Each structure stands twice: as C-alpha cells, then as structure tokens.
C-alpha cells in the first residue's frame, strides 16, 4: 500500500503490531474465485500468471488465494515491515514496496493480476495508487479490489437513526459514535456506485461488482449479511473486478522506471525478517 511519509502518524499507526492486518476468509475466498475464473487454468508448457497481492498484510488472504489459484505465482507486497514479517509464515514470496514515493519495484506491464484487498480505504492518495497499479498490470490484466461498503444494509439504518456508519472512523485513537471498538485506519469509504465511477475515471473497465459478507457482523445477523451479497449495493464488502482500459493514457508517478524489473524473487528482493 502507499506509505505515508516517515514523520506522518499513519506510518507509526500501521507499524503497530496491535493494528489488525488480516481480512475475513469469506471475502478472500470469493475474491480469489473471481480471479481464478478470470485467469483460467494453467496449461501445460505455459508460464504461470504473476499475481501481486498489494497490501498483503499478514499474508493470510494471499495464502487463501494461493489455494484457489493453483499453479499461478502469488507475490505479497506491503510497505509495513511488521506485516511482511508475519506474511512470511503464509506466503513463499514477499516484497517490500510502496504505491507512492517511488512506486512499486516491478516493471511496467509485468503483472498479470493485482489483488488489492481492503487497502484503498486506508490511502491518502488513491488516485496515484490506481495509476501505479495500472502501470504494473499488463494490457488485458486483472484488478481484483475489495473495500468496505459505506452503503451496507445496516449502515443505511444506522444513518437514519443518526448513528455514525460502521467502517467509518473519525479518530486514530478510538471509535466514536458507532458500534465497535477496533480502530483500523479507514480514511475514505465507497458505495458501489462511487467505486464503479472511480475505477472508470482511473482508466479501468469495470467487469463486475459483487458483494461479500463481513466477518465481524454479530452472529444472529450473519444470515442477513450473506443474503445481502446477492445485491452488491447492500453488501458489507464490495468486490470489484476491473481491467485496464486499452486506450487510457497511463500517468505513472514517475514517467520512466529504467531500473525496474520483473521480480526474480532473489534473496535480495525478498523480505528478510
């Protein structure tokens, strides 16, 4: 994900081991199945697809994806040293990288797919992040993005009652005005309509927006949460499948990257705890 400047309090916040970096298994499985259908099986003699899990956190989501994406190569990418240290227990290959401040350490067009799981809501500059993701994706590549839904079915009721919606945060120190107690650093939230419009404006063709349940919904309400997935605009989590628009002009953070390369996953490129 994009790294705040060193003096920014967000960097210290995300490097805190107490801040959750894992996502729900149901969301991870649904997202991985969408990507597996898009990529198709690995054929004999054909190279595996390179899948970057950008903002991989502790690696549990990438591990779930790898089980579904059999034969393809999944690489975890994060700027948080603590997250990468934990991710090495779940993924074979991890790389330290940032979406801003120099961009990702991959050549233009070197990735077949990008998993971007519940990262965009944490970013100060999501526009630059999508520019960089579009740069590293090959023509015809796939972006699988997930993010909490501001207009989830329960948030609509909470707002009518004058209660701050779930997933929104007004402070990095504590939760105020809504259910829950866990601060995770959400800076912005999207509805299905806003997410589709944002991806389109960023140079992507949106193939599909689906829904996924939220793992922290109280148990008695989970059947309703699963049912809401059939209407993505009401679902807890939004899953977007998009592809770079072939005629959109790319505007990367840096126009040229002469020293970047397709990852060979050498000892120097992998994170060493």
């Amino acid at each position: 994900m994009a790294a705040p400047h060193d003096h920014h309090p967000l960097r210290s916040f995300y490097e805190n081991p107490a801040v959750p970096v894992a996502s729900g298994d149901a969301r991870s499985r649904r997202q991985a199945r969408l990507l597996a259908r898009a990529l198709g099986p690995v054929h004999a003699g054909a190279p595996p697809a390179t899948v970057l899990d950008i903002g991989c956190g502790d690696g549990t989501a990438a591990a779930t994806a790898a089980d579904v994406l059999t034969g393809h190569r999944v690489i975890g990418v994060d700027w948080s040293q603590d997250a990468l240290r934990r991710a090495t227990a779940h993924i074979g290959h991890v790389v330290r990288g940032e979406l801003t401040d120099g961009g990702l350490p991959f050549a233009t067009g070197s990735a077949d797919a990008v998993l971007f799981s519940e990262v965009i809501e944490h970013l100060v500059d999501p526009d630059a992040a999508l520019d960089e993701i579009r740069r590293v994706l090959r023509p015809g590549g796939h972006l699988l993005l997930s993010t909490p839904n501001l207009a989830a079915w329960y948030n609509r009721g909470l707002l009518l009652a004058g209660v701050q919606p779930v997933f929104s945060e007004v402070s990095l120190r504590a939760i105020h005005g809504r259910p829950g107690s866990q601060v995770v650093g959400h800076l912005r939230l999207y509805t299905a309509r806003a997410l589709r419009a944002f991806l389109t404006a960023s140079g992507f063709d949106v193939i599909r927006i689906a829904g996924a349940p939220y793992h922290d919904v109280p148990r008695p309400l989970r059947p309703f949460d699963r049912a809401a997935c059939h209407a993505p605009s009401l679902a807890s989590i939004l899953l977007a499948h998009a592809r770079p628009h072939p005629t959109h002009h790319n505007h990367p953070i840096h126009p040229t990257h002469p020293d970047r390369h397709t990852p060979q996953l050498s000892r120097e490129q992998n994170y060493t705890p």
Side-chain angles (χ1 to χ4, degrees), residues 130-194:
L130 287 186
D131 285 348
E132 181 66 355
I133 287 173
R134 198 175 67 251
R135 181 188 69 79
V136 300
L137 277 173
R138 66 166 174 79
H142 302 274
L143 168 63
L144 273 294
L145 180 155
S146 67
T147 189
N149 184 9
L150 175 61
W153 60 277
Y154 39 81
N155 279 345
R156 299 181 186 215
L158 290 173
L159 280 169
L160 284 174
V163 178
Q164 187 84 6
V166 174
F167 307 123
S168 65
E169 297 175 359
V170 299
S171 169
L172 288 177
R173 297 177 179 176
I175 293 297
H176 301 287
R178 70 160 174 84
S181 60
Q182 200 171 64
V183 180
V184 294
H186 289 172
L187 303 182
R188 59 189 75 245
L189 293 173
Y190 300 81
T191 64
R193 180 180 298 181

Side-chain angles (χ1 to χ4, degrees), residues 227-241:
C229 295
H230 296 289
S233 63
L234 296 173
S236 286
I237 306 296
L238 299 172
L239 303 178
H241 174 202

Side-chain angles (χ1 to χ4, degrees), residues 14-207:
Y14 287 120
E15 290 286 6
N16 182 352
V19 173
V21 291
S23 299
D25 287 344
R27 192 275 305 153
S28 300
R29 284 192 297 271
R30 289 186 185 216
Q31 191 174 33
R33 285 197 295 266
L34 284 174
L35 181 55
R37 285 196 291 269
L39 291 175
V42 178
H43 299 289
T50 296
V51 179
L52 305 181
D53 184 4
I54 297 177
C56 66
D58 67 357
T60 55
T64 299
D67 289 340
V68 177
L69 299 169
T70 305
H72 298 299
R73 181 172 60 165
V74 179
I75 303 171
V77 184
D78 210 297
W79 62 264
S80 168
Q81 292 182 347
D82 179 71
L84 289 175
R85 188 176 296 110
R86 286 182 274 172
T88 56
H90 302 284
I91 338 171
H93 304 299
V94 296
V95 176
R96 195 166 193 266
E98 303 178 5
L99 285 165
T100 57
D101 296 333
L104 296 167
F106 305 117
T108 297
S110 60
D112 298 288
V114 166
L115 290 170
F116 202 43
S117 305
E118 293 170 51
V119 175
I120 198 166
E121 65 272 12
H122 298 268
L123 300 184
V124 174
D125 190 354
D127 303 277
L130 287 186
D131 285 348
E132 181 66 355
I133 287 173
R134 198 175 67 251
R135 181 188 69 79
V136 300
L137 277 173
R138 66 166 174 79
H142 302 274
L143 168 63
L144 273 294
L145 180 155
S146 67
T147 189
N149 184 9
L150 175 61
W153 60 277
Y154 39 81
N155 279 345
R156 299 181 186 215
L158 290 173
L159 280 169
L160 284 174
V163 178
Q164 187 84 6
V166 174
F167 307 123
S168 65
E169 297 175 359
V170 299
S171 169
L172 288 177
R173 297 177 179 176
I175 293 297
H176 301 287
R178 70 160 174 84
S181 60
Q182 200 171 64
V183 180
V184 294
H186 289 172
L187 303 182
R188 59 189 75 245
L189 293 173
Y190 300 81
T191 64
R193 180 180 298 181
L195 182 61
R196 179 183 292 274
F198 178 47
L199 287 170
T200 301
S202 299
F204 289 89
D205 291 327
V206 179
I207 308 301

